[in-house]
Structure formats: structure tokens, C-alpha cells
Amino acid sequence: QSVLTQPPSASGTPGQRVTISCSGSNSNIGSNFVYWYQHLPGTAPKLLIYNNDQRPSGVPDRVSGSQSGTSASLAISGLRSADEGVYYCAAWDDNLNGPVFGGGTKLTVL
Amino acid sequence: EVQLVQSGAEVKKPGESLRISCKGSGYSFTTYWISWVRQMPGKGLEWMGRIDPLDSYTNYSPSLQGHVTISADKSITTAYLQWSSLKASDTAMYYCARRKYFGSGSYGFDYWGQGTLVTVSS
């Protein structure tokens, strides 16, 4: 059981916008920044969003993140087949004194 | 180019020892902490612990403390994850990741290794 809760799956058609939610608690999302990672098959995980809503260099602006209270969400617009993979949210947890992750959401482009 | 290159897949028996590695290149190895992250079959990611390669200071997840050892050799820019006695429940994919400071007291993982699959079976 992961500390952060994500839906196991999400889907959309090419060009659509899809959102993935991430729910935590006051000890993690409620008091620390949220990160999102993309894990494509056969590759190393990749940082998509840091500090709730910031994109690293090279991540397109069709990817966005937000946070409110103890929840966060990732949005991907203009969906492409190359976006298929698993997406993880993460945040520092004050109780663990380390980062915690969500269980991952498998994104399928129909 | 920053790279974290991990050692290859391992198949071991319960009770055996194992050390897997993560070699960093393309950056100052002692400037960034390295974490190890576990993904058990069908499960999500789980942080195991971290090491400061500069002085080998380590922190472990409470659930794993005592079962694994994280170390580093800065002379060869390599971090290690080690078990003295493997269990079947150690079967998982293991990733190393570089911790970066993103400001406002926030740290995240900006580069990851490709993963090392460890299978423990009798």
C-alpha cells in the first residue's frame, strides 16, 4: 500500500487532455512540494514536474501540475501515443523523513 | 551528459549476499546525494535510503534499516546497495536516483538509473 494514492489507470484519445490525481496527507503533500515522474516501458523514470507545478527544461508546456491542500494533480494535454507509460507522484514525508511515492497510474492512449 | 548506469540483472538464492552498483558520470559525483528506490513486482516505487558520496553519510527508510547497506566509493563515482542475506521478498527492480535541490527547501530526483532487476528464488 503506497503512502500517496493514485488511480491505477487513466486513458484518453490522441489530442485529448487527461488528468491524474494524487492524494496524500498533512505530513507529505499538505506541507511539502509534489513531484511527478514519468516511467516509460524499458526506460529510466524521468522527472516531469517539480515543486508542484514547475517543469524541468525539455518538458513541454502541455504538461502541467497543481497542488491544493493534501492533493495534487498532473495534466497532460494534446495526448500522444508516446505519452503511454506509468506516472508517479512523490513528496517528502515529514514522518518518514524521506520521500514517499504514489502507486503509479498507467496512462493508455486509445 | 549526466548518466547513472546500473549493474546488470542478478538471480540469487535465499541467504546469498549481493551488491549492485550505480556509476555516476557527467557531473560532480560528490555534489549530489544518491538514493535507492525499490519497485516490487506489481507495486509502486518505495524509497529505501540515501547516501552523501562526499562523506558516505547515510539515511535509511525505517522499514529497511538493518536489512540493506548503502555505500559509495567516490574515487570511482559509484554507489552500492548491498544485502548480506537475501530473502525471496527482495525480488524487485532497484533504481538509483540523483537528488537535486530545487529551491525552497525542496529536493527531488532529477536523474535515474536504468534499474537492476534482482530475482531471489530457490
Side-chain angles (χ1 to χ4, degrees):
Chain A
Q1 191 79 353
S2 300
V3 175
L4 305 181
T5 301
Q6 298 179 237
S9 64
S11 63
T13 57
Q16 270 191 330
R17 182 176 186 270
V18 65
T19 61
I20 298 171
S21 63
C22 176
S23 177
S25 66
N26 288 329
S27 66
N28 41 68
I29 295 178
S31 54
N32 297 291
F33 287 106
V34 177
Y35 289 72
W36 290 92
Y37 300 94
Q38 176 194 55
H39 195 189
L40 303 180
T43 69
K46 173 187 174 183
L47 176 65
L48 277 187
I49 294 287
Y50 66 93
N51 290 7
N52 297 337
D53 57 11
Q54 301 299 300
R55 287 184 304 275
S57 173
V59 174
D61 59 7
R62 63 188 185 87
V63 177
S64 62
S66 64
Q67 177 267 344
S68 178
T70 59
S71 296
S73 64
L74 175 74
I76 304 175
S77 59
L79 210 54
R80 305 174 181 178
S81 58
D83 295 325
E84 282 203 334
V86 181
Y87 293 79
Y88 294 93
C89 59
W92 184 267
D93 189 280
D94 295 331
N95 292 336
L96 174 65
N97 194 29
V100 291
F101 293 87
T105 298
K106 184 174 182 180
L107 175 62
T108 301
V109 181
L110 303 170
Chain B
E1 178 194 9
V2 173
Q3 284 191 308
L4 295 174
V5 178
Q6 298 184 226
S7 49
E10 301 275 1
V11 179
K12 291 288 188 179
K13 290 180 168 34
E16 291 186 332
S17 62
L18 174 65
R19 188 177 76 168
I20 62 175
S21 66
C22 168
K23 182 172 176 61
S25 63
Y27 71 99
S28 174
F29 187 69
T30 55
T31 300
Y32 299 86
W33 291 45
I34 294 288
S35 275
W36 286 94
V37 177
R38 175 173 74 174
Q39 184 174 30
M40 300 175 74
K43 302 296 184 182
L45 302 174
E46 178 187 9
W47 177 74
M48 301 178 69
R50 59 175 179 251
I51 187 165
D52 180 350
L54 182 63
D55 59 8
S56 290
Y57 176 79
T58 53
N59 286 126
Y60 294 91
S61 168
S63 64
L64 290 162
Q65 178 112 35
H67 183 56
V68 296
T69 301
I70 296 172
S71 61
D73 185 340
K74 60 186 178 184
S75 69
I76 55 172
T77 66
T78 300
Y80 301 98
L81 179 64
Q82 182 175 331
W83 296 260
S84 59
S85 180
L86 286 160
K87 305 175 184 177
S89 57
D90 292 318
T91 295
M93 180 73 84
Y94 293 87
Y95 295 96
C96 62
R98 188 181 85 161
R99 188 187 82 154
K100 177 181 175 177
Y101 182 61
F102 285 97
S104 303
S106 174
Y107 291 90
F109 303 127
D110 63 341
Y111 286 93
W112 296 66
Q114 83 278 15
T116 296
L117 180 62
V118 174
T119 303
V120 183
S121 174
S122 55

